[in-house]
Amino acid sequence: MLKRFLADLRKYNYFCWYSAKTDLKAEVANSYLNWVWWILEPLCNMLVYTFVFGSVFGSNQQYYPVFIYSGLLMWNFFSRTVTYSIKCVRMNRDIVTKVYVPKFTLLISNMLLNGIKLAIALCILAAMMLVFQVPLTPMIFVAIFVYLIMFIFAFGCSTILLHFGVFIDDLGYAIAILINMMFFMSGVFNDIATTVAAPFGQILANLNPMAFFISSMRGALLYGIMPDLRVLLDWAIISIALCVVGVRTIYKYENSYVKVV
């Protein structure tokens, strides 16, 4: 399966990039601010959360605006990827019913689209780190590695949801509720490990994958703290396992998707 997967990545990589660029152009076609909206959305959310939790509730977290903004960027990539995966086969019905492409390439195309948006927003994050005088340390490479594992985890979850989303219409509603719950339990605007009473805070931070990824990335990027490598390795193995299960399932059942959509 791995050989077939890598061969399909090479064969359809142009399709993925072309589809991502086309979707990017379509998103901003009738917008006055174009790609600026990709920066304004997390930036405005950051300002709201900074005011609410920093001023109203009195959070004393160091570099708090950067703390929130960095968490929002990672969360937005994950939530957009997962949410899209449920409906991506139905949304691309014209492609699916007319030509053959491995169905996970539709997901990869969307991840590339979200990755381009993320790259632009990360430039703003770098500027904010300079403004708030966040010290740069070699731990920035650990933060990049955490991002890589998060990408793999998002792809693994999304391939599984892609399959079931074809057959279960109500799955989108259930996942929307779950995503909303995860948002408040993932420490986007606070540190779960220290906010929740011990030892439950640390347990929740390790068992919730996005809480762990966000806290590990921010700890390395903003404070030069090495994440728990054992837990990081566990989530890396789980992420790869999810990818194997998801891609294998798609290969096995993708021919039946045409009959459903």
Side-chain angles (χ1 to χ4, degrees):
M1 188 196 72
L2 177 61
K3 191 173 181 180
R4 179 183 176 184
F5 176 71
L6 294 176
D8 282 340
L9 284 181
R10 288 193 297 269
K11 182 177 181 181
Y12 294 97
N13 97 86
Y14 176 78
F15 165 77
C16 293
W17 279 107
Y18 181 80
S19 178
K21 289 189 291 185
T22 302
D23 289 342
L24 279 173
K25 293 178 181 178
E27 276 194 21
V28 299
N30 297 315
S31 172
Y32 290 108
L33 295 181
N34 294 332
W35 56 268
V36 176
W37 283 115
W38 306 335
I39 299 173
L40 284 179
E41 181 186 0
L43 199 59
C44 290
N45 287 335
M46 177 271 293
L47 293 174
V48 171
Y49 290 130
T50 299
F51 172 74
V52 173
F53 292 96
S55 301
V56 178
F57 292 105
S59 175
N60 57 359
Q61 183 73 47
Q62 190 180 20
Y63 315 127
Y64 194 55
V66 189
F67 179 91
I68 287 186
Y69 189 70
S70 59
L72 281 172
L73 295 186
M74 179 174 276
W75 172 260
N76 284 345
F77 179 91
F78 173 77
S79 63
R80 287 170 180 168
T81 300
V82 169
T83 302
Y84 175 82
S85 67
I86 302 168
K87 56 186 178 181
C88 77
V89 174
R90 295 181 183 275
M91 288 180 62
N92 293 277
R93 179 179 180 180
D94 290 341
I95 296 175
V96 171
T97 56
K98 290 179 174 60
V99 296
Y100 172 77
V101 293
K103 305 309 177 285
F104 60 79
T105 59
L106 303 174
L107 179 59
I108 292 175
S109 173
N110 181 257
M111 292 183 71
L112 289 173
L113 182 149
N114 290 327
I116 294 171
K117 295 180 182 178
L118 176 63
I120 295 173
L122 285 174
C123 294
I124 304 301
L125 176 62
M128 290 179 65
M129 291 176 66
L130 291 175
V131 171
F132 287 92
Q133 299 180 343
V134 179
L136 292 179
T137 69
M139 294 298 291
I140 189 174
F141 296 105
V142 177
I144 294 173
F145 183 67
V146 174
Y147 252 109
L148 176 62
I149 296 177
M150 188 276 295
F151 291 150
I152 298 173
F153 178 76
F155 179 72
C157 292
S158 298
T159 51
I160 295 173
L161 291 174
L162 179 152
H163 169 73
F164 288 104
V166 175
F167 301 100
I168 306 174
D169 290 337
D170 294 342
L171 185 61
Y173 298 106
I175 294 300
I177 295 172
L178 181 61
I179 287 290
N180 193 43
M181 291 173 58
M182 281 187 66
F183 174 73
F184 291 99
M185 297 173 61
S186 296
V188 174
F189 39 78
N190 57 15
D191 187 349
I192 292 292
T194 58
T195 303
V196 180
F200 303 107
Q202 191 60 54
I203 293 174
L204 179 61
N206 290 339
L207 292 181
N208 181 339
M210 286 309 298
F212 179 75
F213 292 143
I214 291 173
S215 64
S216 297
M217 176 273 297
R218 284 195 302 213
L221 184 65
L222 305 183
Y223 311 115
I225 300 172
M226 177 68 75
D228 189 326
L229 296 181
R230 181 186 60 81
V231 179
L232 186 61
L233 178 61
D234 289 342
W235 279 115
I237 294 172
I238 292 172
S239 300
I240 294 172
L242 289 172
C243 291
V244 171
V245 172
V247 172
R248 186 185 296 274
T249 303
I250 290 174
Y251 274 142
K252 184 176 181 180
Y253 295 102
E254 63 179 347
N255 289 334
S256 64
Y257 296 169
V258 179
K259 301 175 184 177
V260 179
V261 300

